[in-house]
Amino acid sequence: MSSAPEPPPKDVPPETITLVESSIPTIVEPNASGTSAEASDMSSLSPFELQQLTQNVLDETASSRPLITESIPLAALREEYENGSGSFVQQIDYLRSLGFTNIRRTKGDGDCFYRSLAFAWIERMLISPRNQTVEVAKALSMLDSALLILKAAGFQELAFEDFYDVITSLIRHIVVPEPDGETLTPQILLEAFQDLEGALRISRNRKLGLTGIDMTVSNCIVVLLRLLTSAVIRTDPEAYAPFLFHPESGDEIVPQEFCERYVEACGKEADHVQITALTKVLKLNVEVAYLDGHSDDGSVSFVEFQNVPLDDNENPLVLLYRPGHYDILEKLNAK
Amino acid sequence: MSSISTRRLQKELKEINNDCPQGIALVKAEDFETWYLSLQVLGESVFADETFLLKFRFDNQYPISSPSVTFVVDEHFQAPLHPHVYSNGHICANILGDGWSPVLSVTSVCISLQSMLASCTKKERPEGNDRYVMFAPEDPKKVDHFSS
């Protein structure tokens, strides 16, 4: 709310405005090309196969799908591949042998990494057997210190404060009841992340402590996580610059332009760099299971993003990556 | 009931009223759906002494969704003669399409457009202007190649 003069916004330097004669519609979510281990697996696919894979993801995430689904048994995912790719089936069986039982699907709208991570993170706090109050206090204090990073990155307060309020209200609501005595439930959390329309959204927002605010909670949280990711890269450009490339051309790209085009803009999928930055600021351990149909022995490789000491009482959040798309992997009976 | 767009636009309005960048002025903002701002190019420019009027339209998901921004074309105002501006006032700029992000604002869009005009050396319309104008919908956000 500060009306004090802000430092010149870093975000829109006039000299780097990008103008296009006719921009190409973004259909394909850029995947992890060239920066991580799975690139070599992907490169053995023919262009046609790649296109088919991506098309499968797009088809199944048509606009009618919810932003995030109920928990679905992995067996249902396996069925989808049974008539197609044997290697995917083998890899899904491998995941089941590790104890994974369920998947929560997110819509393939380019925001799926951020949405998956946010949901998995907040849900874990909600159903954690640990002291919820302590977990919530830790998360809120972490977000509070992240404000400094957002400011240091040169973002104006008005660019992030509304989104910040949404995520902190939601997390606080895990332990702080509303006047009606209710705290957050898994069902309300899911509805919040599904961004219901109109009247439903308003009554649900009231349950979230957002009385009188017609907000799309899910997208607000996605935006905040994007800004946090960007802020981490912008405030530590030397560390990230060597890993920044144009998702399409593979050319090097400077941190500011990378952040503007591929982090802050909604609908731009996250790659290794964004995951590294975001899990670092959120102090989360995350594993990404790469289900790519290209494993000689049917196993699945996990890429680990470790940011806090491993703890026997708390498993890392696990996301399932299929070329161009992230979902949440769950071990339901272990909870 | 305040939507996210109203909350955000209230703050932007306050900021514009406090401190508006040079060459940019708020002409009309009577609600949180449509705003008009005037735009002049400072210093030496092929657009020196010209004033343009920008129309911003916001939906209730602004700033997550981009504003619809056009140059007003009427009996008082013309669209600048620029290779990225069609004669109906539609603007071809990445930041108004899939390069939009909630970090941007009304002011930063104005500054970007001001700088786009300032760097222009040859006054001309985009290729295919007449054909585009004939078929373009009124709202540029409904054009495929503007907002993918």
Side-chain angles (χ1 to χ4, degrees):
Chain A
M1 289 294 196
S2 156
S3 57
E6 297 286 342
K10 270 185 182 173
D11 32 298
V12 204
E15 65 278 12
T16 62
I17 179 174
T18 322
L19 296 165
V20 283
E21 291 292 341
S22 78
S23 58
I24 300 154
T26 314
I27 299 169
V28 179
E29 301 170 3
N31 58 42
S33 53
T35 49
S36 37
E38 80 288 356
S40 55
D41 294 325
M42 292 296 295
S43 63
S44 62
L45 290 176
S46 73
F48 177 71
E49 285 172 315
L50 262 177
Q51 194 193 344
Q52 250 192 343
L53 264 179
T54 314
Q55 194 54 50
N56 289 344
V57 173
L58 288 172
D59 287 347
E60 73 178 38
T61 52
S63 55
S64 60
R65 288 188 82 105
L67 290 174
I68 191 156
T69 66
E70 305 265 355
S71 215
I72 300 164
L74 266 180
L77 182 69
R78 188 184 192 279
E79 266 173 37
E80 288 170 24
Y81 286 102
E82 275 166 6
N83 295 323
S85 164
S87 50
F88 274 96
V89 171
Q90 229 185 339
Q91 286 189 304
I92 292 167
D93 288 339
Y94 177 82
L95 290 174
R96 293 168 83 185
S97 76
L98 296 179
F100 293 101
T101 58
N102 287 60
I103 174 177
R104 238 181 230 282
R105 299 186 138 172
T106 49
K107 190 167 163 181
D109 56 5
D111 292 327
C112 53
F113 162 71
Y114 299 95
R115 208 182 309 277
S116 297
L117 185 72
F119 185 90
W121 174 47
I122 297 174
E123 189 198 34
R124 185 173 69 182
M125 275 186 260
L126 180 62
I127 60 181
S128 167
R130 299 167 151 204
N131 185 327
Q132 276 188 335
T133 313
V134 172
E135 294 303 300
V136 166
K138 266 164 56 184
L140 291 176
S141 124
M142 179 274 298
L143 284 170
D144 190 49
S145 51
L147 281 176
L148 287 175
I149 304 173
L150 289 167
K151 287 176 194 164
F155 294 136
Q156 288 180 285
E157 276 179 55
L158 69 78
F160 58 77
E161 59 195 2
D162 292 332
F163 307 120
Y164 182 85
D165 288 348
V166 169
I167 193 167
T168 50
S169 300
L170 185 65
I171 292 174
R172 195 175 295 116
H173 189 38
I174 294 174
V175 289
V176 179
E178 282 312 293
D180 62 7
E182 276 194 49
T183 51
L184 192 64
T185 65
Q187 185 58 32
I188 298 175
L189 179 69
L190 178 63
E191 286 171 12
F193 267 82
Q194 289 178 332
D195 269 353
L196 306 175
E197 288 303 317
L200 263 177
R201 184 164 74 213
I202 291 160
S203 73
R204 187 257 299 139
N205 279 357
R206 196 172 299 128
K207 287 185 186 165
L208 296 176
L210 297 167
T211 309
I213 302 169
D214 181 14
M215 291 265 204
T216 50
V217 171
S218 201
N219 286 335
C220 286
I221 290 174
V222 166
V223 169
L224 186 82
L225 296 195
R226 285 185 174 279
L227 297 185
L228 280 174
T229 307
S230 171
V232 173
I233 299 172
R234 280 172 179 268
T235 52
D236 196 3
E238 286 86 13
Y240 288 93
F243 307 102
L244 303 181
F245 301 95
H246 271 284
E248 292 99 18
S249 66
D251 294 339
E252 281 178 36
I253 179 170
V254 296
Q256 178 178 319
E257 191 189 351
F258 180 83
C259 288
E260 286 170 3
R261 295 182 60 178
Y262 302 112
V263 185
E264 292 154 21
C266 283
K268 299 292 170 62
E269 197 44 82
D271 195 354
H272 202 96
V273 174
Q274 288 95 324
I275 303 177
T276 304
L278 183 59
T279 57
K280 184 175 173 222
V281 66
L282 295 180
K283 298 188 172 65
L284 288 176
N285 290 339
V286 172
E287 291 181 1
V288 179
Y290 283 91
L291 188 65
D292 52 14
H294 279 264
S295 163
D296 292 336
D297 58 0
S299 67
V300 174
S301 37
F302 285 74
V303 175
E304 296 177 7
F305 298 86
Q306 195 191 323
N307 297 286
V308 282
L310 289 173
D311 179 340
D312 290 342
N313 299 315
E314 187 170 79
N315 292 324
L317 304 172
V318 186
L319 302 184
L320 177 67
Y321 179 82
R322 284 174 289 160
H325 186 67
Y326 297 87
D327 294 300
I328 303 170
L329 260 185
E330 299 177 324
K331 290 182 181 176
L332 280 198
N333 38 9
K335 275 171 184 169
Chain B
M1 185 59 47
S2 84
S3 68
I4 177 164
S5 63
T6 310
R7 280 163 72 104
R8 168 68 171 259
L9 287 169
Q10 278 169 340
K11 293 172 198 166
E12 289 198 34
L13 190 60
K14 193 171 152 196
E15 201 177 80
I16 290 173
N17 284 329
N18 279 344
D19 179 24
C20 203
Q22 251 196 319
I24 295 160
L26 187 66
V27 174
K28 189 172 150 189
E30 291 171 352
D31 54 34
F32 295 114
E33 283 164 22
T34 311
W35 289 6
Y36 293 89
L37 290 98
S38 66
L39 186 69
Q40 285 178 313
V41 182
L42 306 168
E44 218 169 287
S45 156
V46 294
F47 298 108
D49 303 325
E50 292 183 64
T51 301
F52 305 103
L53 189 63
L54 281 167
K55 180 182 182 182
F56 281 76
R57 275 172 289 181
F58 312 99
D59 63 27
N60 63 5
Q61 292 309 308
Y62 176 84
I64 294 178
S65 68
S66 63
S68 163
V69 185
T70 52
F71 282 104
V72 172
V73 179
D74 62 12
E75 63 266 36
H76 304 292
F77 293 98
Q78 288 298 309
L81 201 53
H82 184 283
H84 292 121
V85 182
Y86 291 99
S87 56
N88 64 352
H90 286 196
I91 305 159
C92 209
N94 180 284
I95 56 163
L96 299 177
D98 71 350
W100 169 260
S101 95
V103 169
L104 301 171
S105 63
V106 172
T107 317
S108 68
V109 168
C110 288
I111 294 173
S112 295
L113 294 176
Q114 196 179 35
S115 127
M116 175 186 96
L117 296 184
S119 62
C120 177
T121 49
K122 194 175 172 196
K123 286 177 125 178
E124 60 182 2
R125 286 285 170 222
E127 205 177 306
N129 178 71
D130 294 350
R131 193 181 156 73
Y132 174 82
V133 170
M134 197 181 305
F135 295 107
E138 190 270 328
D139 183 345
K141 281 192 80 179
K142 299 196 170 80
V143 181
D144 283 345
H145 74 261
F146 273 80
S147 54
S148 50

